[in-house]
Amino acid sequence: MARSAGLRGSAVWGAAVVMTLGACSGSGDNARTAPVEASGDGTLRIGLILDNTGPQAFLNAAELAAAKLAIQEINAAGGHKGRPVELLPASAGGDTAVQARALADAKADAVIGPTDSSQAPAAIDVLSKARITLISPANTAPELSGYKSGGYYFRTAAADIAQAPVLVKLAKDAGAKSLAVVYEEGNYGQDVSGAVSASAKAGGLDPVTVSGFKAGEAQKSAAAVRDAVPDAVVVIARDGAQGAIAELANAGVPGNKLILADSAFRQYGSALGSRSLEGARALVPGVFPSAHFQAELVDIDAKLKDTTFAAETYDAVNLAALAAAAAEDDAGTSIAGTLISVSGGTSGSRAAASPSAKPTVCSTYKDCLAAIRDGKVIDYDGESGPVRFDANGDVTAAKYMVFTYGADNKARLRGSEAAGRSAG
């Protein structure tokens, strides 16, 4: 998780044939190529891992409400093969492996979660061995793309580095010819700063200085930026974000030169000096929930105050159910083997089964299910936007909200940007 805020076997394959995982003839660890007999018990069970504790505990409510909403709509449309889809009881807790084992024991076919990227390996290890599909609505760590899951791990949140070309675009759109990158040391900062530098070079900008700092020790980096006099400054930080912005302001770097990566975004207000961020821009992954979607979530949980990761959770549940519908089988292996296709991705079963078919774009379980029953190849674009999984289970289309800060150091939504690449 960074701080924040979708393969199907063609219906023509029939009920007995789906795409499986781990085949030797595919593309490595995440190969999905060999047909096997359907093996589900006829009841689709979707579990939810709620690993948010402490200050992040508020995220549990949004994810649970979104999962309940999706299940409610799926069952209203007929469920899976005429049977209600079950949402397995979820309880929040810090031990992800324990939750994963409990869901496996409860015969989950697909599991949504976890939120924290650092907890993902524990869930993957347990669930992949049990041949249960795992879809995280919030994991963003780049290294998870190569984590060995046997093809059972997906995520509806874009990896942290996906924001790099968008950060560079914001700089270029403002007329920048040169760029400085200030990042907090650690995996996140190093990964994103490297991606920003590469994107800047590809876009014709010269990162005049790339400087790392430890949280609370950003003075030297701020001085380096001041001396380099860049047209734009990308700030990549988490715990050290406020301190870095304050040091940049102290060094005389105006707010309108700053572009904040997703983890540096927050409503700073009086925590920073007057006008420190005036004119600064910031990215937040995802899309702003529609009024209709927010109202539906509140109908599920009247006390809901935050919708972070709700759209990504909602889409993850719908994708799991659509993959089971397309495969005509609720087994975890069948779901994992059809997720790429129902998401609009171009590798996996859809390409193999019907390479010339043009996907039918649909945004609800009901509409997508109707298309599947008509023998069509679908492309589910849900509340979080297009997904289009690749062979690693990563989204290949990502949307970002763009915020601009006023003189009060508070951010207001101003627009959106998209980052994407061809799936597969």
Side-chain angles (χ1 to χ4, degrees):
M1 174 185 69
R3 89 128 258 102
S4 144
L7 312 154
R8 104 169 163 80
S10 171
V12 301
W13 282 43
V17 184
V18 295
M19 301 303 291
T20 190
L21 314 171
C24 296
S25 60
S27 55
D29 177 63
N30 288 329
R32 301 164 169 88
T33 56
V36 295
E37 293 294 319
S39 58
D41 63 7
T43 298
L44 177 59
R45 301 177 184 87
I46 297 178
L48 189 63
I49 291 178
L50 299 176
D51 60 320
N52 300 297
T53 58
Q56 300 297 326
F58 71 92
L59 295 171
N60 292 328
E63 293 175 17
L64 182 57
K68 287 182 176 179
L69 174 62
I71 294 294
Q72 183 181 93
E73 293 177 351
I74 290 166
N75 287 335
H80 174 67
K81 300 174 74 171
R83 295 185 183 181
V85 175
E86 297 180 7
L87 180 63
L88 296 180
S91 58
D95 195 323
T96 299
V98 169
Q99 291 190 63
R101 283 192 288 270
L103 291 170
D105 290 343
K107 298 183 179 181
D109 302 300
V111 171
I112 312 304
T115 303
D116 191 333
S117 291
S118 68
Q119 299 300 317
I124 294 170
D125 290 347
V126 171
L127 297 173
S128 63
K129 289 179 182 178
R131 298 185 179 183
I132 297 170
T133 299
L134 176 66
I135 312 174
S136 172
N139 291 168
T140 59
E143 60 268 23
L144 290 173
S145 295
Y147 195 86
K148 292 184 178 180
S149 71
Y152 287 92
Y153 174 68
F154 299 80
R155 47 183 169 175
T156 49
D160 292 321
I161 58 175
Q163 67 186 297
V166 183
L167 292 167
V168 172
K169 182 179 184 298
L170 292 181
K172 292 184 68 176
D173 286 350
K177 302 296 184 183
S178 60
L179 183 72
V181 180
V182 176
Y183 71 92
E184 184 176 350
E185 294 177 358
N187 290 338
Y188 170 80
Q190 292 169 350
D191 289 339
V192 179
S193 65
V196 169
S197 297
S199 293
K201 182 178 180 180
L205 295 180
D206 291 322
V208 293
T209 182
V210 179
S211 181
F213 67 91
K214 294 181 180 179
E217 301 177 13
Q219 187 173 7
K220 289 184 178 180
S221 292
V225 170
R226 176 198 62 208
D227 296 342
V229 196
D231 295 328
V233 183
V234 173
V235 180
I236 303 165
R238 285 179 172 161
D239 295 339
Q242 182 174 315
I245 295 168
E247 291 293 355
L248 287 165
N250 291 339
V253 179
N256 61 9
K257 284 191 176 185
L258 303 185
I259 302 171
L260 309 186
D262 63 348
S263 61
F265 171 81
R266 63 201 67 164
Q267 299 291 4
Y268 290 95
S270 60
L272 289 171
S274 178
R275 300 179 181 273
S276 293
L277 280 173
E278 185 175 14
R281 288 154 293 162
L283 286 185
V284 174
V287 294
F288 192 76
S290 66
H292 177 71
F293 185 53
Q294 291 185 69
E296 288 183 317
L297 291 170
V298 172
D299 283 344
I300 298 293
D301 181 356
K303 297 181 180 180
L304 192 65
K305 302 296 183 183
D306 186 281
T307 59
T308 304
F309 300 132
E312 291 82 0
T313 301
Y314 176 85
D315 288 346
V317 174
N318 276 321
L319 282 161
L322 288 169
E328 298 186 35
D329 183 37
D330 54 274
T333 297
S334 299
I335 293 170
T338 53
L339 268 171
I340 289 178
S341 186
V342 296
S343 74
T346 55
S347 65
S349 61
R350 181 174 65 79
S354 48
S356 62
K358 183 178 180 180
T360 296
V361 176
C362 47
S363 59
T364 67
Y365 178 82
K366 181 180 180 180
D367 290 345
C368 290
L369 181 62
I372 290 170
R373 288 174 173 170
D374 286 342
K376 297 177 181 178
V377 174
I378 68 165
D379 174 1
Y380 174 80
D381 291 356
E383 288 292 337
S384 65
V387 178
R388 299 167 193 159
F389 288 130
D390 66 11
N392 291 321
D394 288 336
V395 299
T396 57
K399 289 189 175 182
Y400 295 87
M401 293 175 283
V402 180
F403 288 78
T404 299
Y405 285 87
D408 58 357
N409 298 324
K410 292 185 178 181
R412 295 163 181 83
L413 182 65
R414 296 303 185 197
S416 63
E417 293 284 351
R421 57 184 172 81
S422 297

